[in-house]
């Protein structure tokens, strides 16, 4: 899928409606694949991983460091460690943060989606055809 996505020379548009994280964000035409246009609904979120996953991974790393030093932590200490990580990811992943950093072209209301995509498809129909040369597909 990644080879096809990166090799296809067709108009490519992305609309993030909910959570879009990690490899799924990349494989489903995230910004690194240079879509012609990328939009997010106000409910859209994106990051390398979700807030809970990030907090859990960092807590596991911290627990391993503590175990190496023959220390432990209580569930309350673990939660106190996770809370700011969750908050940072929640603040980062929002549609308006992505738009303010130019990682998405615009935040559109769900009711605008059909009109926006119709306009983009109309513009795409006026572009000249470009030949696609696929790389090697491996299964």
């Amino acid at each position: 899928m990644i080879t096809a996505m990166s090799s296809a020379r067709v108009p490519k548009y992305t609309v993030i409606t909910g959570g879009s994280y990690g490899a799924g964000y990349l494989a489903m035409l995230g910004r690194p694949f240079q879509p012609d246009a990328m939009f997010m609904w106000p409910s859209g979120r994106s990051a390398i991983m979700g807030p809970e996953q990030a907090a859990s991974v960092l807590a596991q790393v911290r627990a391993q460091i503590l175990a190496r030093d023959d220390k432990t932590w209580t569930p309350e200490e673990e939660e106190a460690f996770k809370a700011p990580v969750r908050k940072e990811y929640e603040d980062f992943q929002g549609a308006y943060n992505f738009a303010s950093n130019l990682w998405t072209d615009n935040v559109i209301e769900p009711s605008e989606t059909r009109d926006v995509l119709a306009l983009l498809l109309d513009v795409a129909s006026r572009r000249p055809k470009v030949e696609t040369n696929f790389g090697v597909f491996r299964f």
Side-chain angles (χ1 to χ4, degrees), residues 15-18 39-45 95 106-110 113:
V15 179
I16 298 175
T17 60
F39 300 99
M40 293 177 84
W41 286 1
S43 60
R45 302 170 313 284
N106 203 354
V107 178
I108 60 172
E109 291 296 322
T113 306

Side-chain angles (χ1 to χ4, degrees), residues 19-104:
S20 181
Y21 299 110
Y25 169 75
L26 297 174
M28 297 304 292
L29 196 56
R31 183 54 75 193
F33 280 108
Q34 300 175 339
D36 293 290
M38 177 179 230
F39 300 99
M40 293 177 84
W41 286 1
S43 60
R45 302 170 313 284
S46 189
I48 196 68
M49 63 178 67
E52 188 58 43
Q53 293 88 351
S56 294
V57 167
L58 291 175
Q60 286 176 349
V61 171
R62 182 75 180 140
Q64 290 172 354
I65 291 169
L66 290 171
R68 183 185 63 203
D69 296 335
D70 291 328
K71 297 178 183 175
T72 61
W73 60 358
T74 66
E76 293 80 20
E77 291 172 324
E78 181 178 356
E79 183 54 37
F81 177 84
K82 286 180 171 183
V85 175
R86 270 193 224 101
K87 172 89 171 88
E88 184 175 345
Y89 271 74
E90 287 165 1
D91 292 344
F92 172 84
Q93 70 179 355
Y96 293 104
N97 182 53
F98 264 60
S100 71
N101 285 288
L102 303 178
W103 298 326
T104 187

